Amino acid sequence: MQVQEPQVLSEKPVATKLKTGVLIVNLGTPDSPNTPDVRKYLREFLMDGRVIDIPYAFRWMLVNLIIAPFRAPKSAKVYKELWTERGSPLKFYGEDIEKMLQAQLGEDYDVKLAMRYQSPSMDAGLEFFKKSGYKKIIVVPFFPQYASASTGSVYEKTMRIVKEWQIIPEISFVNTFYDHPKFIEYFATAARNYMAKQDYDYFMFSYHGLPQRQITKGDCTGNTCKFGSCCDTIHSMNQHCYRAQCHETTRLLVKELGLKEGTYTTTFQSRLGSDPWVQPYTDVVIKELAAQGKKKILVFSPAFVADCLETTIEIGEEYREMFEEFGGQHWQLVESLNNSPMWVDLLEDLVKKA
């Protein structure tokens, strides 16, 4: 009689550790500084209804028939000045931070870099988390101050992607970090390094501009925003206002650095089109300061976490040339957070509190 071998049951699969996915998102950059890639980037960026908030048909004609065809070749020349052996600074600094933050957060988290426009895409990053069964996803837009055209657009894109998922895990968003102690500490520390080597007679805080209509549309009360003293403090009615948050960042940096009243100002740069944008305009103020006899200016750009076209080229080169042309002697840009360890510490804190 043949004795049957006892059946050996296979071991149960060991459950993988539950992880949190962290999607860090910056604005985006062309895949190359060549005109076709720049044109592609401009079309995707400017066709976003939160960036140019006019009816679709008018936006399509404006972007595809006017801006992209004529602006792309000019922008491509500027991008070529910005490009390095590693490519676009905005992208490779993001890649550095992706690795550094991953190492700092450890195995309980997986960090993925994405761009709101172009690559690496938000679609690919979120799809990775979807297929790998993450218990939670934290989305961290790389914009210190909230604006509908930046942070709001990242939120909308995220929700547009996940609404098609059958199972949607817990998702958290980081909203702002314009007043985070480490954010203020970084710029103050970087500024002190320059102030130790040079006596500056003026300090400028230049933020990316927005059309005034976008600020007004964000005023839920309908009567808080006056483009004046309404931003002198942060309160419940203006806490989500981009302009108010920019002014608060300036106030915190002024306090940290101990700057005297009358030696600094908040300005806004990079306006597009003829509609009124948030004022005062950086280029206009530069001419006024030079006319007043200001000779040495230290300038900050605290709306950006990575040096890019708007910081390195626009502020660092074009505005410097303008200042010198009108009689200025020394113009110094304080660098963005880029791939600094303090930026990683700040992100770690944001993620763990989300």
Side-chain angles (χ1 to χ4, degrees):
M1 180 175 175
Q2 188 176 7
V3 179
Q4 197 171 27
E5 293 279 343
Q7 187 177 6
V8 179
L9 297 176
S10 61
E11 292 185 2
K12 292 182 179 180
V14 179
T16 57
K17 192 171 186 178
L18 296 178
K19 287 189 174 187
T20 296
V22 179
L23 191 71
I24 54 175
V25 188
N26 211 333
L27 188 74
T29 183
D31 291 332
S32 82
N34 298 322
T35 299
D37 282 333
V38 174
R39 184 179 293 116
K40 180 181 177 183
Y41 167 73
L42 288 175
R43 281 176 172 157
E44 183 182 358
F45 171 42
L46 298 175
M47 279 303 296
D48 186 339
R50 285 181 176 265
V51 175
I52 299 183
D53 53 336
I54 61 177
Y56 178 84
F58 294 106
R59 184 168 69 252
W60 190 96
M61 289 187 288
L62 177 64
V63 172
N64 291 283
L65 302 182
I66 300 174
I67 299 178
F70 295 101
R71 188 172 178 180
K74 297 178 182 178
S75 295
K77 291 180 181 178
V78 183
Y79 271 111
K80 287 175 182 176
E81 295 179 40
L82 180 72
W83 230 253
T84 72
E85 291 182 357
R86 293 188 64 190
S88 167
L90 186 142
K91 187 172 183 179
F92 68 68
Y93 281 134
E95 292 168 344
D96 290 346
I97 290 298
E98 178 185 39
K99 295 174 184 175
M100 295 166 71
L101 182 60
Q102 179 64 71
Q104 194 146 321
L105 286 172
E107 62 180 13
D108 290 341
Y109 299 84
D110 275 344
V111 181
K112 292 292 180 184
L113 171 69
M115 298 293 170
R116 174 59 185 87
Y117 314 102
Q118 298 299 283
S119 60
S121 70
M122 290 181 62
D123 303 73
L126 289 169
E127 186 67 17
F128 176 86
F129 294 142
K130 174 189 174 185
K131 289 184 175 179
S132 304
Y134 286 71
K135 67 172 183 178
K136 180 177 180 178
I137 297 172
I138 301 173
V139 180
V140 188
F142 272 17
F143 313 110
Q145 300 84 14
Y146 177 91
S148 172
S150 54
T151 308
S153 182
V154 170
Y155 285 12
E156 183 181 286
K157 176 76 171 181
T158 302
M159 291 184 281
R160 193 160 65 238
I161 294 170
V162 304
K163 74 181 179 67
E164 304 296 334
W165 296 4
Q166 187 65 31
I167 297 175
I168 301 176
E170 179 184 351
I171 298 178
S172 296
F173 295 95
V174 169
N175 189 261
T176 63
F177 49 91
Y178 66 92
D179 57 350
H180 193 286
K182 288 189 179 297
F183 182 69
I184 301 303
E185 181 186 355
Y186 171 82
F187 279 102
T189 300
R192 288 191 187 102
N193 290 334
Y194 290 112
M195 293 166 70
K197 303 171 185 176
Q198 182 72 254
D199 290 327
Y200 294 92
D201 52 12
Y202 209 81
F203 302 86
M204 179 179 289
F205 299 87
S206 179
Y207 299 82
H208 199 286
L210 282 180
Q212 287 187 7
R213 67 174 182 275
Q214 291 189 11
I215 300 292
T216 303
K217 285 166 66 175
D219 180 6
C220 59
T221 69
N223 59 14
T224 298
C225 183
K226 305 295 183 183
F227 297 104
S229 60
C230 53
C231 293
D232 285 353
T233 59
I234 291 285
H235 50 79
S236 61
M237 294 295 99
N238 72 354
Q239 61 180 314
H240 299 298
C241 171
Y242 175 76
R243 181 177 181 268
Q245 291 176 3
C246 291
H247 279 281
E248 181 67 7
T249 297
T250 296
R251 283 191 292 270
L252 291 171
L253 281 168
V254 165
K255 181 179 179 181
E256 182 67 23
L257 290 168
L259 303 184
K260 296 179 180 178
E261 194 66 34
T263 65
Y264 61 88
T265 191
T266 295
T267 63
F268 298 88
Q269 65 186 84
S270 308
R271 64 188 184 277
L272 176 68
S274 57
D275 287 349
W277 282 45
V278 182
Q279 298 181 42
Y281 301 137
T282 301
D283 55 348
V284 172
V285 172
I286 289 172
K287 297 176 185 178
E288 293 173 349
L289 292 175
Q292 293 168 15
K294 306 302 181 186
K295 297 297 182 183
K296 300 175 183 179
I297 295 181
L298 187 64
V299 58
F300 302 74
S301 190
F304 300 91
V305 300
D307 283 318
C308 54
L309 206 67
E310 288 82 359
T311 61
T312 303
I313 304 297
E314 186 174 15
I315 296 181
E317 295 184 11
E318 294 176 1
Y319 287 166
R320 174 182 55 79
E321 292 173 1
M322 180 185 298
F323 181 59
E324 291 174 352
E325 179 184 346
F326 285 95
Q329 295 176 356
H330 187 76
W331 174 272
Q332 178 62 56
L333 170 65
V334 176
E335 61 273 11
S336 297
L337 291 96
N338 295 329
N339 56 2
S340 68
M342 198 177 295
W343 177 210
V344 180
D345 291 342
L346 193 164
L347 287 169
E348 180 187 20
D349 187 60
L350 293 175
V351 167
K352 289 187 174 179
K353 287 180 178 176

